Amino acid sequence: MTREEAEDFVRRLLRRNPDLASHYAPLLGAPARPGFESLGAGPAPARPDAGGPDITDVIRRTNRGALEAIVDRERPVFFALPPKDTAPMSFDLDDAAILGPEAAKLRESLAACRARMEPLLTRIGRIDVDGFASMPFVGTGWIIDDGIVATNRHVAELFARRSGAGFSFRIGSNGEPLSVNLDTGHFRDRADGGVSLPVESVLFIEPEESAVDIAFLRLSAGAPIGTLSPLPIAEGATDPAWPLCAIGYPARAPASIIPDQGLMQQLYRGFYDVKRLAPGYLIAEGPARMTHDCTTLGGSSGSCVVAMATGEVVGLHFAGVYMKENQAVPARVLRDYVKGRLWLRPPRVETTGPAPAAPPASPPSQDVPFQVEPAAVTVTIRISGAGKVSVDGPAAENRDIEAAVTAFIDSCSDGDILAARVGFLDDGARIGDTPCIAVSVRPSRLEEARRSRPAAFLGHPVRYEAADVGEQFDARGALEAAGGIAYDDDARQGADFVLAQIVEPMTVRAHVSPEYGFEELSAFLKAGARRQLVSAMYEFKGAAIADLVGEALESEASMALALDNVTLPEPKAGEPGAGSEPAGTLEFEARPRFEAWRARYGERFDVVTVPEGPRGLIMMAYHIKVTVRDDDWLWLSSGNWKNTSSQPIVSREQLENAETRDLPGNRDWHVVMHSPGLAARFRNHILQDIRRSRELSAREETVAAPEPMVLVPLSGLEAAVEERRPPSRVLAPLVVTGTVRATPLLTPDLEGRVYTDAVLRLIRSARRSLWFQIPYIGMRRDPRVRRGNIDELIDALADKLRTLEDARVLLRTGNREFSDNRHVAWYFKSKGIDVDNRLRAVENHHTKGMVVDGESVLIGSHNWSSQGVSVNRDASIIFENPDLARYYGDALDIDWQRANPVRAVEFVRRKPQLVPPGQPLTESSGSRVMRLSEYLAEMDD
């Protein structure tokens, strides 16, 4: 929550409750101010920026922590109660945390409206799914018409998919279609008490590109259905003075989503997945979206938001941005669906042809909020609306550009605008000094946006560009379906798993690719003959590396191997079976090779593909690159097992001429080390990954939404990317022996805090220099939204770039199809950082390393993305050793000297498009279709 959002929450609270001004005077730092008791007087304005009593001065003088403490106190939640004897389904007003005076008033309002609210409870249920063993439900639904249930698109897509002209249930772990029920029970003390109604079919799922997150289910015919009349939907606008109530089934949220776990425990009493009532108020209402501040969590998706004064539905809740706002489909949109029975429309089928012409866009209106579609399943406990900047007012030159970006986002109601940020206009090929509002648009809608949307906003130029795939993926939603990854922190609490600094005698062989990557890896694997190898790998496709593993297995070694699905993807429908690879090829066909190894070596070769997605071991990528030999040797790297890039085979002649002709392959950092302590830690975690993956795969189908596809243009560059120049010198491997301090880091352990906290300490320890080499940094697409771990790291890095005498960030050239380097440059420049001298980019680098003060070095596989530092599997090590720091510092400096500034020119003419799950597509002569995981693997190559 920003300070402005906290101020807005308190301002709205005092306008609703002028009598509480004296209560909050001490917290607001004005216990004796004359007339303070009247500061909250006056009618509530139509919009937060529309004027009203001037209480701004007092609130702005208040400490931010005090403001957030007020927000914390004022949004209670209540248990629903099952029917008992002759009493109907009801709710418990006593067993609840009432922490503030407005919370007490909300309880009073709920009590006064009991007669209107109780009858609604029997028509709201939990969407239970039989087939997801450890994820028994996915969200909330409610009766919107006779036998028709309303829920969210992102909830329905978890158990249903497009099929021909309609929709069908996905296949469960038993090989049969999933079974779905709407159960109106599930209370704190008992599961029954309601009715369980089978869902016969999925009638309609609104297409992904629509701003309306809605879907409709048809219940099976049966006796109970006739007794469940539809919930009434409000006809007029929602009165901001009316208390609202969200009714649904909130699920537990991890600390990565809700940092204040103590508050969550206090509010929810340790009970989740049960029916709740959460009162609050309207923040804003626009044509396509309303925002409210009722308390919600994952599982609340599909909840109805009800006006207590009338008992009518005013919104269909679908998402939340933590400490900011909750979002819902407004009643006016719901009425249109009901009146037109729009769930009977046939689903739209996309083709690869040109996008249909859009209707003329209306000019931005301050009353129309931005349709937020954030990136992974998130939840909300307490929220506040963002203050808006009025179009009318002081001269544009006096406005802050960040406030203008926020106002622009608030002015957009459709789903075509996927990101907006502070940018800078081009100065030739250089990033210039004139700030602008940089807007990312769905690629298919770019030309329409440039024609019909404003060229300036609040006096600032607006720049429209096609959204990259990263922005398209992130725009899929901070959607509150139930569930999260099933990583088993609790099983890794013993001494064998502890991720703490290890100080012991070690032998460390530091080396880099392309010079010595394959040579050092080859020696490491050859020494594994007749021994045990335990390996965790994102991509294993190098034919020469597979030959080395085969030789070790032939020499009676054993291997336990955990892989991402980019190595062993599920075959596409109609895809021919893989065959053996031609002799001399750089990449091998994994499936037939592994099957042959299983047949020949039996239990000595064990391989598992790690389940991903909600309720998988990790969310999106098993991105780790670690192999342990026996119990004492370890290979750890930023590079995959690929001879085409990370581990190229370099001849002696190529090596001798490397300073005049650049070597093939990526720059990657690797380390081979003898360290019983580190080897045991990583070995134990990898073996537990394998055990947990098998447990999850045996219990359930991975509860991932269907993998999106990417439509990739075959020709899209208007100018060639600058080639990497040869290095000024070749770094031979360095061997360090003696006592070394090393800290192993893994994600998603402790929801990414193991990595994040350690790297924050490393960054903040820098006193003289900080050098960071990373392929890309995933920047946020909405400045109002904080993303947890990644934004903490970016902010700490920015502080050092601004203040240290010697600070550098080296990115990879050519990121614009996934994560644009200009977005990084724009952000740093907006924070006062000299990007001309502190930011560069070089082609073909895949390193994820940091050198601090020439004394400490971070080496590993962690990408700096929201998921990469939180819910993906990655591994890194921090060495506190000057010799190792100087070695990798030399490698970074060699790349820095042959790097170039981040260019301002937009080379990419046609951007790849992310295709909604289940939407049929065919390849055309100008494009190809590929899985998102395949596409990301290519970008990570």
Side-chain angles (χ1 to χ4, degrees), residues 68 99 168 205 258 334 399 477 506-507 736 817 872 879 881:
E68 292 186 356
L99 306 178
S168 62
I205 301 176
I258 302 297
L334 299 176
R399 299 179 187 275
M506 300 181 189
T507 298
V736 172
E817 290 185 345
N872 286 345
F879 292 100
N881 181 279

Side-chain angles (χ1 to χ4, degrees), residues 512-515 644-646 648 650 658-668 721-728 773 810-813 841-847 891 894-900 941:
V512 297
S513 282
E515 292 89 329
T644 54
S645 52
S646 300
V650 177
E659 295 175 21
T660 57
R661 179 175 296 177
D662 193 22
L663 297 172
N666 285 337
R667 168 68 90 207
D668 273 297
V721 175
E722 296 160 312
E723 292 186 358
R724 185 179 66 187
R725 297 188 293 275
S728 60
Q773 188 162 350
L810 183 55
L811 301 172
R812 179 176 60 201
T813 303
V842 67
E843 180 69 354
N844 296 337
H845 108 65
H846 193 244
T847 297
I894 290 169
D895 288 347
W896 182 263
Q897 298 306 324
R898 57 179 174 162
N900 297 291
D941 198 355

Side-chain angles (χ1 to χ4, degrees), residues 161-168 346-349 918 920:
R161 62 182 178 86
R162 297 181 189 275
S163 179
F167 303 89
S168 62
R348 283 183 286 173
V349 178

Side-chain angles (χ1 to χ4, degrees), residues 562-760:
L563 290 171
D564 186 89
N565 61 17
V566 299
T567 298
L568 285 172
E570 291 298 322
K572 297 178 186 175
E575 191 174 60
S580 59
E581 64 276 3
T585 187
L586 292 176
E587 293 195 351
F588 74 101
E589 294 284 351
R591 196 173 298 277
R593 180 78 69 104
F594 291 170
E595 289 174 356
W597 285 350
R598 281 197 190 98
R600 182 173 179 83
Y601 306 119
E603 293 182 355
R604 286 198 290 113
F605 177 68
D606 183 23
V607 61
V608 65
T609 300
V610 176
E612 300 172 2
R615 305 310 296 169
L617 182 77
I618 43 83
M619 181 58 73
M620 192 171 175
Y622 193 74
H623 194 248
I624 184 173
K625 292 96 174 167
V626 173
T627 297
V628 179
R629 195 179 73 210
D630 298 325
D631 295 320
D632 52 357
W633 280 90
L634 171 74
W635 174 90
L636 180 143
S637 174
S638 63
N640 295 297
W641 277 4
K642 297 181 68 174
N643 295 131
T644 54
S645 52
S646 300
Q647 317 292 336
I649 300 174
V650 177
S651 69
R652 185 56 51 187
E653 179 184 4
Q654 286 176 309
L655 199 59
E656 290 172 354
N657 294 287
E659 295 175 21
T660 57
R661 179 175 296 177
D662 193 22
L663 297 172
N666 285 337
R667 168 68 90 207
D668 273 297
W669 292 0
H670 323 274
V671 63
V672 170
M673 54 194 305
H674 179 266
S675 169
L678 284 173
R681 294 295 186 276
F682 284 112
R683 177 180 182 273
N684 294 337
H685 275 279
I686 296 170
L687 291 176
Q688 181 61 24
D689 286 353
I690 292 172
R691 286 190 290 268
R692 181 61 170 166
S693 295
R694 287 218 164 88
E695 176 186 329
L696 292 171
S697 298
R699 279 169 32 187
E700 61 183 274
E701 177 188 31
T702 301
V703 191
E707 183 175 8
M709 307 298 283
V710 181
L711 185 64
V712 183
L714 295 179
S715 60
L717 296 180
E718 294 177 342
V721 175
E722 296 160 312
E723 292 186 358
R724 185 179 66 187
R725 297 188 293 275
S728 60
R729 59 194 174 104
V730 171
L731 283 179
L734 171 72
V735 179
V736 172
T737 59
T739 300
V740 176
R741 296 176 179 270
T743 304
L745 307 176
L746 286 170
T747 50
D749 294 76
L750 301 184
E751 298 162 352
R753 295 312 301 189
V754 168
Y755 174 86
T756 300
D757 290 343
V759 177
L760 284 173

